[in-house]
Amino acid sequence: MTDFSAMHQPQTEPGIATAEDGLVILDGPNGVAVTMTPEAAEGTGRSLISAAAAAGQQILDRDHPA
């Protein structure tokens, strides 16, 4: 039987990105892999950095309310 609760937990390990034949491959946990064009990878990277900063600020705001 599959433990679906474990599938919905946030990942704590980063994915690993590599370049191969002009594409970017992002290997994540549990065998997840995404192949992107360089442009899509750059956009994803910018989006991830922005979202990570926002999430970090949300944690600070939650843990230290004004």
Side-chain angles (χ1 to χ4, degrees):
M1 182 172 195
T2 302
D3 180 7
F4 289 105
S5 63
M7 293 172 53
H8 297 293
Q9 297 299 313
Q11 297 300 319
T12 58
E13 297 296 321
I16 305 296
T18 57
E20 191 171 315
D21 295 323
L23 297 172
V24 176
I25 302 166
L26 176 61
D27 288 316
N30 300 323
V32 172
V34 178
T35 303
M36 295 177 263
T37 64
E39 297 81 11
E42 285 182 22
T44 300
R46 284 191 297 275
S47 178
L48 282 168
I49 290 169
S50 177
Q57 186 61 52
Q58 291 168 356
I59 291 170
L60 286 175
D61 292 346
R62 178 191 69 206
D63 293 347
H64 305 285

Tab-separated table of all heavy atoms in Angstrom:
chain	number	residue	atom	x	y	z
A	1	MET	N	0.839	-1.175	0.000
A	1	MET	CA	0.000	0.000	0.000
A	1	MET	C	0.891	1.248	0.000
A	1	MET	O	1.889	1.316	0.694
A	1	MET	CB	-0.901	-0.021	1.224
A	1	MET	CG	-1.839	1.141	1.299
A	1	MET	SD	-3.000	0.868	2.664
A	1	MET	CE	-4.182	2.075	2.236
A	2	THR	N	0.521	2.257	-0.782
A	2	THR	CA	1.301	3.484	-0.890
A	2	THR	C	0.928	4.451	0.221
A	2	THR	O	-0.242	4.659	0.509
A	2	THR	CB	1.029	4.154	-2.260
A	2	THR	OG1	1.360	3.230	-3.289
A	2	THR	CG2	1.847	5.414	-2.414
A	3	ASP	N	1.947	5.046	0.839
A	3	ASP	CA	1.726	6.052	1.874
A	3	ASP	C	1.624	7.418	1.198
A	3	ASP	O	2.629	8.062	0.924
A	3	ASP	CB	2.878	6.028	2.882
A	3	ASP	CG	2.700	7.048	3.993
A	3	ASP	OD1	1.626	7.685	4.063
A	3	ASP	OD2	3.636	7.200	4.790
A	4	PHE	N	0.405	7.860	0.908
A	4	PHE	CA	0.208	9.115	0.205
A	4	PHE	C	0.544	10.324	1.062
A	4	PHE	O	0.856	11.384	0.537
A	4	PHE	CB	-1.232	9.216	-0.322
A	4	PHE	CG	-1.490	8.286	-1.461
A	4	PHE	CD1	-2.223	7.131	-1.265
A	4	PHE	CD2	-0.980	8.550	-2.717
A	4	PHE	CE1	-2.447	6.253	-2.316
A	4	PHE	CE2	-1.204	7.685	-3.772
A	4	PHE	CZ	-1.937	6.529	-3.575
A	5	SER	N	0.508	10.197	2.386
A	5	SER	CA	0.851	11.335	3.238
A	5	SER	C	2.306	11.743	3.040
A	5	SER	O	2.636	12.919	3.098
A	5	SER	CB	0.575	11.024	4.699
A	5	SER	OG	1.393	9.961	5.146
A	6	ALA	N	3.174	10.792	2.796
A	6	ALA	CA	4.589	11.100	2.575
A	6	ALA	C	4.789	11.832	1.251
A	6	ALA	O	5.723	12.604	1.098
A	6	ALA	CB	5.423	9.827	2.603
A	7	MET	N	3.922	11.595	0.294
A	7	MET	CA	4.052	12.226	-1.018
A	7	MET	C	3.734	13.716	-0.961
A	7	MET	O	4.138	14.463	-1.837
A	7	MET	CB	3.137	11.541	-2.032
A	7	MET	CG	3.540	10.117	-2.332
A	7	MET	SD	2.363	9.227	-3.341
A	7	MET	CE	2.162	10.299	-4.740
A	8	HIS	N	3.010	14.159	0.046
A	8	HIS	CA	2.583	15.545	0.125
A	8	HIS	C	3.399	16.352	1.115
A	8	HIS	O	3.008	17.455	1.468
A	8	HIS	CB	1.088	15.613	0.459
A	8	HIS	CG	0.241	15.005	-0.601
A	8	HIS	ND1	0.110	15.540	-1.853
A	8	HIS	CD2	-0.507	13.884	-0.600
A	8	HIS	CE1	-0.683	14.788	-2.578
A	8	HIS	NE2	-1.069	13.769	-1.839
A	9	GLN	N	4.497	15.806	1.560
A	9	GLN	CA	5.383	16.533	2.464
A	9	GLN	C	6.351	17.372	1.639
A	9	GLN	O	6.794	16.947	0.574
A	9	GLN	CB	6.165	15.557	3.350
A	9	GLN	CG	5.294	14.744	4.270
A	9	GLN	CD	4.512	15.620	5.222
A	9	GLN	OE1	5.062	16.523	5.838
A	9	GLN	NE2	3.218	15.365	5.339
A	10	PRO	N	6.704	18.562	2.117
A	10	PRO	CA	7.663	19.375	1.373
A	10	PRO	C	9.029	18.695	1.338
A	10	PRO	O	9.450	18.063	2.304
A	10	PRO	CB	7.716	20.689	2.153
A	10	PRO	CG	7.146	20.393	3.485
A	10	PRO	CD	6.255	19.201	3.345
A	11	GLN	N	9.697	18.834	0.227
A	11	GLN	CA	11.031	18.268	0.074
A	11	GLN	C	12.038	19.153	0.788
A	11	GLN	O	11.941	20.378	0.754
A	11	GLN	CB	11.394	18.145	-1.409
A	11	GLN	CG	10.501	17.200	-2.171
A	11	GLN	CD	10.553	15.791	-1.604
A	11	GLN	OE1	11.606	15.282	-1.246
A	11	GLN	NE2	9.392	15.157	-1.503
A	12	THR	N	13.006	18.541	1.418
A	12	THR	CA	14.042	19.291	2.119
A	12	THR	C	15.382	19.235	1.396
A	12	THR	O	16.315	19.939	1.778
A	12	THR	CB	14.221	18.755	3.553
A	12	THR	OG1	14.552	17.367	3.486
A	12	THR	CG2	12.936	18.942	4.368
A	13	GLU	N	15.472	18.420	0.377
A	13	GLU	CA	16.701	18.314	-0.415
A	13	GLU	C	16.485	18.994	-1.766
A	13	GLU	O	15.433	18.830	-2.381
A	13	GLU	CB	17.079	16.852	-0.636
A	13	GLU	CG	17.403	16.102	0.643
A	13	GLU	CD	18.621	16.642	1.350
A	13	GLU	OE1	19.609	17.010	0.673
A	13	GLU	OE2	18.585	16.730	2.587
A	14	PRO	N	17.469	19.753	-2.232
A	14	PRO	CA	17.310	20.422	-3.524
A	14	PRO	C	17.395	19.435	-4.682
A	14	PRO	O	17.993	18.362	-4.562
A	14	PRO	CB	18.493	21.390	-3.566
A	14	PRO	CG	19.525	20.744	-2.694
A	14	PRO	CD	18.750	20.031	-1.606
A	15	GLY	N	16.771	19.815	-5.787
A	15	GLY	CA	16.939	19.052	-7.016
A	15	GLY	C	18.315	19.346	-7.593
A	15	GLY	O	18.974	20.319	-7.229
A	16	ILE	N	18.739	18.508	-8.505
A	16	ILE	CA	20.041	18.673	-9.161
A	16	ILE	C	19.802	18.946	-10.643
A	16	ILE	O	19.153	18.147	-11.332
A	16	ILE	CB	20.910	17.401	-9.003
A	16	ILE	CG1	21.066	17.035	-7.526
A	16	ILE	CG2	22.254	17.575	-9.699
A	16	ILE	CD1	21.795	18.052	-6.696
A	17	ALA	N	20.320	20.066	-11.126
A	17	ALA	CA	20.166	20.428	-12.526
A	17	ALA	C	21.456	20.128	-13.287
A	17	ALA	O	22.556	20.382	-12.789
A	17	ALA	CB	19.819	21.903	-12.652
A	18	THR	N	21.289	19.576	-14.478
A	18	THR	CA	22.428	19.320	-15.367
A	18	THR	C	22.056	19.761	-16.781
A	18	THR	O	20.876	19.860	-17.116
A	18	THR	CB	22.808	17.827	-15.385
A	18	THR	OG1	21.667	17.050	-15.783
A	18	THR	CG2	23.286	17.347	-14.025
A	19	ALA	N	23.071	20.018	-17.588
A	19	ALA	CA	22.871	20.372	-18.991
A	19	ALA	C	23.301	19.198	-19.859
A	19	ALA	O	24.363	18.605	-19.625
A	19	ALA	CB	23.685	21.607	-19.349
A	20	GLU	N	22.468	18.868	-20.823
A	20	GLU	CA	22.770	17.745	-21.709
A	20	GLU	C	22.160	18.006	-23.079
A	20	GLU	O	20.941	18.220	-23.199
A	20	GLU	CB	22.202	16.460	-21.108
A	20	GLU	CG	22.670	15.211	-21.802
A	20	GLU	CD	22.271	13.952	-21.063
A	20	GLU	OE1	22.431	13.908	-19.825
A	20	GLU	OE2	21.788	13.036	-21.727
A	21	ASP	N	22.990	18.025	-24.098
A	21	ASP	CA	22.537	18.207	-25.481
A	21	ASP	C	21.681	19.455	-25.660
A	21	ASP	O	20.671	19.444	-26.374
A	21	ASP	CB	21.776	16.971	-25.978
A	21	ASP	CG	22.654	15.741	-26.073
A	21	ASP	OD1	23.843	15.890	-26.442
A	21	ASP	OD2	22.169	14.641	-25.779
A	22	GLY	N	22.040	20.553	-24.981
A	22	GLY	CA	21.325	21.809	-25.135
A	22	GLY	C	20.036	21.911	-24.336
A	22	GLY	O	19.269	22.849	-24.526
A	23	LEU	N	19.786	20.973	-23.450
A	23	LEU	CA	18.608	20.997	-22.595
A	23	LEU	C	19.042	20.970	-21.142
A	23	LEU	O	20.155	20.558	-20.824
A	23	LEU	CB	17.703	19.796	-22.887
A	23	LEU	CG	17.106	19.738	-24.280
A	23	LEU	CD1	16.398	18.407	-24.494
A	23	LEU	CD2	16.155	20.900	-24.518
A	24	VAL	N	18.161	21.387	-20.264
A	24	VAL	CA	18.417	21.335	-18.828
A	24	VAL	C	17.539	20.249	-18.236
A	24	VAL	O	16.332	20.203	-18.497
A	24	VAL	CB	18.115	22.692	-18.152
A	24	VAL	CG1	18.284	22.591	-16.646
A	24	VAL	CG2	19.021	23.773	-18.721
A	25	ILE	N	18.151	19.378	-17.456
A	25	ILE	CA	17.426	18.293	-16.803
A	25	ILE	C	17.486	18.534	-15.305
A	25	ILE	O	18.566	18.685	-14.737
A	25	ILE	CB	18.032	16.922	-17.158
A	25	ILE	CG1	18.005	16.724	-18.662
A	25	ILE	CG2	17.289	15.803	-16.430
A	25	ILE	CD1	18.858	15.587	-19.164
A	26	LEU	N	16.313	18.594	-14.695
A	26	LEU	CA	16.222	18.776	-13.251
A	26	LEU	C	15.782	17.454	-12.648
A	26	LEU	O	14.683	16.976	-12.914
A	26	LEU	CB	15.218	19.875	-12.900
A	26	LEU	CG	14.959	20.111	-11.416
A	26	LEU	CD1	16.250	20.522	-10.699
A	26	LEU	CD2	13.876	21.156	-11.223
A	27	ASP	N	16.675	16.840	-11.878
A	27	ASP	CA	16.374	15.586	-11.186
A	27	ASP	C	15.959	15.909	-9.762
A	27	ASP	O	16.689	16.566	-9.020
A	27	ASP	CB	17.596	14.664	-11.162
A	27	ASP	CG	17.894	14.084	-12.531
A	27	ASP	OD1	16.937	13.660	-13.199
A	27	ASP	OD2	19.067	14.060	-12.918
A	28	GLY	N	14.780	15.428	-9.399
A	28	GLY	CA	14.260	15.671	-8.063
A	28	GLY	C	14.078	14.375	-7.305
A	28	GLY	O	14.492	13.302	-7.756
A	29	PRO	N	13.418	14.457	-6.170
A	29	PRO	CA	13.210	13.276	-5.329
A	29	PRO	C	12.213	12.301	-5.950
A	29	PRO	O	11.420	12.672	-6.825
A	29	PRO	CB	12.658	13.875	-4.035
A	29	PRO	CG	12.045	15.164	-4.447
A	29	PRO	CD	12.850	15.662	-5.601
A	30	ASN	N	12.271	11.083	-5.493
A	30	ASN	CA	11.333	10.032	-5.912
A	30	ASN	C	11.313	9.802	-7.415
A	30	ASN	O	10.278	9.483	-7.981
A	30	ASN	CB	9.917	10.346	-5.402
A	30	ASN	CG	9.857	10.428	-3.906
A	30	ASN	OD1	10.532	9.685	-3.205
A	30	ASN	ND2	9.073	11.347	-3.390
A	31	GLY	N	12.443	10.013	-8.064
A	31	GLY	CA	12.536	9.735	-9.492
A	31	GLY	C	11.926	10.790	-10.390
A	31	GLY	O	11.784	10.577	-11.591
A	32	VAL	N	11.550	11.937	-9.844
A	32	VAL	CA	10.975	13.006	-10.650
A	32	VAL	C	12.075	13.638	-11.485
A	32	VAL	O	13.150	13.955	-10.980
A	32	VAL	CB	10.307	14.072	-9.754
A	32	VAL	CG1	9.884	15.285	-10.567
A	32	VAL	CG2	9.127	13.478	-9.022
A	33	ALA	N	11.816	13.814	-12.763
A	33	ALA	CA	12.772	14.481	-13.642
A	33	ALA	C	11.999	15.366	-14.610
A	33	ALA	O	10.948	14.969	-15.112
A	33	ALA	CB	13.610	13.468	-14.407
A	34	VAL	N	12.521	16.568	-14.841
A	34	VAL	CA	11.909	17.513	-15.763
A	34	VAL	C	12.985	17.953	-16.742
A	34	VAL	O	14.096	18.299	-16.341
A	34	VAL	CB	11.355	18.740	-15.001
A	34	VAL	CG1	10.762	19.748	-15.961
A	34	VAL	CG2	10.330	18.307	-13.975
A	35	THR	N	12.655	17.943	-18.024
A	35	THR	CA	13.564	18.409	-19.055
A	35	THR	C	13.023	19.716	-19.615
A	35	THR	O	11.844	19.801	-19.962
A	35	THR	CB	13.695	17.367	-20.180
A	35	THR	OG1	14.142	16.126	-19.621
A	35	THR	CG2	14.691	17.820	-21.238
A	36	MET	N	13.888	20.741	-19.669
A	36	MET	CA	13.466	22.072	-20.105
A	36	MET	C	14.444	22.655	-21.102
A	36	MET	O	15.623	22.289	-21.128
A	36	MET	CB	13.403	23.014	-18.893
A	36	MET	CG	12.375	22.660	-17.861
A	36	MET	SD	12.446	23.791	-16.446
A	36	MET	CE	13.459	22.820	-15.339
A	37	THR	N	13.935	23.583	-21.901
A	37	THR	CA	14.820	24.380	-22.745
A	37	THR	C	15.615	25.311	-21.836
A	37	THR	O	15.216	25.563	-20.689
A	37	THR	CB	14.012	25.224	-23.747
A	37	THR	OG1	13.211	26.164	-23.011
A	37	THR	CG2	13.145	24.354	-24.651
A	38	PRO	N	16.719	25.863	-22.328
A	38	PRO	CA	17.464	26.817	-21.501
A	38	PRO	C	16.601	28.000	-21.061
A	38	PRO	O	16.691	28.444	-19.917
A	38	PRO	CB	18.605	27.276	-22.416
A	38	PRO	CG	18.800	26.135	-23.366
A	38	PRO	CD	17.420	25.572	-23.582
A	39	GLU	N	15.746	28.487	-21.948
A	39	GLU	CA	14.888	29.620	-21.607
A	39	GLU	C	13.895	29.256	-20.498
A	39	GLU	O	13.677	30.037	-19.564
A	39	GLU	CB	14.131	30.104	-22.848
A	39	GLU	CG	15.017	30.633	-23.956
A	39	GLU	CD	15.647	29.548	-24.830
A	39	GLU	OE1	15.266	28.363	-24.735
A	39	GLU	OE2	16.548	29.894	-25.610
A	40	ALA	N	13.299	28.075	-20.604
A	40	ALA	CA	12.351	27.631	-19.578
A	40	ALA	C	13.070	27.420	-18.250
A	40	ALA	O	12.540	27.757	-17.186
A	40	ALA	CB	11.646	26.345	-20.009
A	41	ALA	N	14.281	26.898	-18.287
A	41	ALA	CA	15.048	26.676	-17.061
A	41	ALA	C	15.400	28.005	-16.391
A	41	ALA	O	15.307	28.133	-15.171
A	41	ALA	CB	16.314	25.872	-17.358
A	42	GLU	N	15.792	29.005	-17.189
A	42	GLU	CA	16.105	30.320	-16.619
A	42	GLU	C	14.873	30.928	-15.963
A	42	GLU	O	14.950	31.471	-14.856
A	42	GLU	CB	16.644	31.253	-17.694
A	42	GLU	CG	18.066	30.944	-18.101
A	42	GLU	CD	18.595	31.928	-19.142
A	42	GLU	OE1	18.066	33.056	-19.249
A	42	GLU	OE2	19.543	31.562	-19.842
A	43	GLY	N	13.731	30.856	-16.638
A	43	GLY	CA	12.502	31.390	-16.075
A	43	GLY	C	12.100	30.657	-14.801
A	43	GLY	O	11.675	31.272	-13.822
A	44	THR	N	12.254	29.341	-14.818
A	44	THR	CA	11.941	28.536	-13.637
A	44	THR	C	12.870	28.903	-12.490
A	44	THR	O	12.433	29.041	-11.340
A	44	THR	CB	12.041	27.040	-13.961
A	44	THR	OG1	11.103	26.733	-15.004
A	44	THR	CG2	11.757	26.174	-12.746
A	45	GLY	N	14.141	29.079	-12.785
A	45	GLY	CA	15.109	29.451	-11.755
A	45	GLY	C	14.760	30.782	-11.111
A	45	GLY	O	14.771	30.913	-9.885
A	46	ARG	N	14.429	31.788	-11.946
A	46	ARG	CA	14.044	33.094	-11.401
A	46	ARG	C	12.788	32.974	-10.550
A	46	ARG	O	12.696	33.554	-9.462
A	46	ARG	CB	13.835	34.099	-12.538
A	46	ARG	CG	15.123	34.609	-13.147
A	46	ARG	CD	14.877	35.786	-14.072
A	46	ARG	NE	14.045	35.434	-15.220
A	46	ARG	CZ	14.491	34.907	-16.353
A	46	ARG	NH1	15.789	34.664	-16.493
A	46	ARG	NH2	13.670	34.622	-17.341
A	47	SER	N	11.817	32.221	-11.029
A	47	SER	CA	10.563	32.038	-10.302
A	47	SER	C	10.800	31.332	-8.970
A	47	SER	O	10.219	31.698	-7.943
A	47	SER	CB	9.573	31.244	-11.166
A	47	SER	OG	8.376	31.011	-10.487
A	48	LEU	N	11.652	30.308	-8.966
A	48	LEU	CA	11.964	29.581	-7.733
A	48	LEU	C	12.655	30.485	-6.715
A	48	LEU	O	12.325	30.452	-5.523
A	48	LEU	CB	12.845	28.367	-8.035
A	48	LEU	CG	12.135	27.150	-8.611
A	48	LEU	CD1	13.167	26.149	-9.144
A	48	LEU	CD2	11.268	26.502	-7.554
A	49	ILE	N	13.599	31.292	-7.167
A	49	ILE	CA	14.310	32.188	-6.248
A	49	ILE	C	13.349	33.204	-5.655
A	49	ILE	O	13.366	33.470	-4.442
A	49	ILE	CB	15.498	32.863	-6.963
A	49	ILE	CG1	16.580	31.821	-7.234
A	49	ILE	CG2	16.039	34.038	-6.151
A	49	ILE	CD1	17.681	32.287	-8.158
A	50	SER	N	12.469	33.755	-6.470
A	50	SER	CA	11.487	34.715	-5.981
A	50	SER	C	10.534	34.070	-4.978
A	50	SER	O	10.252	34.638	-3.915
A	50	SER	CB	10.700	35.293	-7.165
A	50	SER	OG	9.706	36.171	-6.717
A	51	ALA	N	10.038	32.881	-5.301
A	51	ALA	CA	9.115	32.183	-4.406
A	51	ALA	C	9.808	31.776	-3.108
A	51	ALA	O	9.206	31.837	-2.028
A	51	ALA	CB	8.518	30.959	-5.099
A	52	ALA	N	11.080	31.383	-3.189
A	52	ALA	CA	11.820	31.006	-1.983
A	52	ALA	C	11.984	32.211	-1.057
A	52	ALA	O	11.836	32.089	0.162
A	52	ALA	CB	13.182	30.419	-2.355
A	53	ALA	N	12.263	33.378	-1.634
A	53	ALA	CA	12.397	34.585	-0.821
A	53	ALA	C	11.068	34.933	-0.156
A	53	ALA	O	11.026	35.274	1.035
A	53	ALA	CB	12.892	35.751	-1.677
A	54	ALA	N	9.971	34.826	-0.904
A	54	ALA	CA	8.650	35.125	-0.349
A	54	ALA	C	8.290	34.137	0.761
A	54	ALA	O	7.772	34.521	1.811
A	54	ALA	CB	7.594	35.103	-1.452
A	55	ALA	N	8.556	32.861	0.545
A	55	ALA	CA	8.252	31.845	1.555
A	55	ALA	C	9.083	32.062	2.814
A	55	ALA	O	8.575	31.926	3.933
A	55	ALA	CB	8.487	30.440	0.994
A	56	GLY	N	10.349	32.400	2.650
A	56	GLY	CA	11.198	32.677	3.801
A	56	GLY	C	10.677	33.861	4.601
A	56	GLY	O	10.666	33.829	5.838
A	57	GLN	N	10.214	34.903	3.905
A	57	GLN	CA	9.654	36.067	4.589
A	57	GLN	C	8.364	35.700	5.312
A	57	GLN	O	8.111	36.166	6.424
A	57	GLN	CB	9.390	37.207	3.595
A	57	GLN	CG	8.947	38.482	4.266
A	57	GLN	CD	10.003	39.029	5.225
A	57	GLN	OE1	11.157	39.209	4.864
A	57	GLN	NE2	9.599	39.301	6.465
A	58	GLN	N	7.546	34.841	4.701
A	58	GLN	CA	6.309	34.395	5.346
A	58	GLN	C	6.614	33.666	6.655
A	58	GLN	O	5.913	33.848	7.660
A	58	GLN	CB	5.514	33.490	4.403
A	58	GLN	CG	4.929	34.217	3.226
A	58	GLN	CD	4.402	33.277	2.154
A	58	GLN	OE1	4.535	32.058	2.242
A	58	GLN	NE2	3.810	33.861	1.125
A	59	ILE	N	7.660	32.852	6.655
A	59	ILE	CA	8.051	32.136	7.875
A	59	ILE	C	8.500	33.126	8.941
A	59	ILE	O	8.103	33.021	10.105
A	59	ILE	CB	9.144	31.088	7.574
A	59	ILE	CG1	8.547	29.949	6.749
A	59	ILE	CG2	9.770	30.566	8.867
A	59	ILE	CD1	9.578	28.984	6.187
A	60	LEU	N	9.306	34.112	8.543
A	60	LEU	CA	9.744	35.137	9.505
A	60	LEU	C	8.556	35.891	10.068
A	60	LEU	O	8.472	36.122	11.274
A	60	LEU	CB	10.708	36.109	8.832
A	60	LEU	CG	12.113	35.601	8.544
A	60	LEU	CD1	12.900	36.651	7.754
A	60	LEU	CD2	12.826	35.253	9.836
A	61	ASP	N	7.623	36.267	9.199
A	61	ASP	CA	6.449	37.021	9.640
A	61	ASP	C	5.582	36.170	10.567
A	61	ASP	O	5.039	36.667	11.546
A	61	ASP	CB	5.615	37.483	8.441
A	61	ASP	CG	6.320	38.522	7.611
A	61	ASP	OD1	7.331	39.110	8.068
A	61	ASP	OD2	5.864	38.755	6.472
A	62	ARG	N	5.467	34.890	10.260
A	62	ARG	CA	4.646	33.984	11.089
A	62	ARG	C	5.286	33.775	12.456
A	62	ARG	O	4.611	33.789	13.474
A	62	ARG	CB	4.495	32.631	10.375
A	62	ARG	CG	3.703	31.620	11.163
A	62	ARG	CD	3.804	30.240	10.575
A	62	ARG	NE	5.180	29.741	10.769
A	62	ARG	CZ	5.742	28.836	9.993
A	62	ARG	NH1	5.114	28.318	8.976
A	62	ARG	NH2	6.980	28.436	10.230
A	63	ASP	N	6.608	33.593	12.468
A	63	ASP	CA	7.310	33.300	13.718
A	63	ASP	C	7.576	34.535	14.567
A	63	ASP	O	7.837	34.421	15.767
A	63	ASP	CB	8.624	32.577	13.423
A	63	ASP	CG	8.405	31.175	12.852
A	63	ASP	OD1	7.262	30.668	12.918
A	63	ASP	OD2	9.381	30.614	12.320
A	64	HIS	N	7.541	35.710	13.952
A	64	HIS	CA	7.809	36.953	14.656
A	64	HIS	C	6.787	38.010	14.240
A	64	HIS	O	7.127	38.982	13.561
A	64	HIS	CB	9.237	37.455	14.356
A	64	HIS	CG	10.294	36.447	14.650
A	64	HIS	ND1	10.686	36.145	15.938
A	64	HIS	CD2	11.023	35.636	13.851
A	64	HIS	CE1	11.626	35.225	15.903
A	64	HIS	NE2	11.852	34.890	14.649
A	65	PRO	N	5.526	37.827	14.650
A	65	PRO	CA	4.506	38.801	14.240
A	65	PRO	C	4.788	40.184	14.816
A	65	PRO	O	5.375	40.311	15.890
A	65	PRO	CB	3.196	38.217	14.803
A	65	PRO	CG	3.603	37.220	15.820
A	65	PRO	CD	4.998	36.775	15.505
A	66	ALA	N	4.357	41.170	14.062
A	66	ALA	CA	4.589	42.573	14.495
A	66	ALA	C	3.711	42.943	15.667
A	66	ALA	O	2.709	42.437	15.944
A	66	ALA	CB	4.323	43.512	13.340
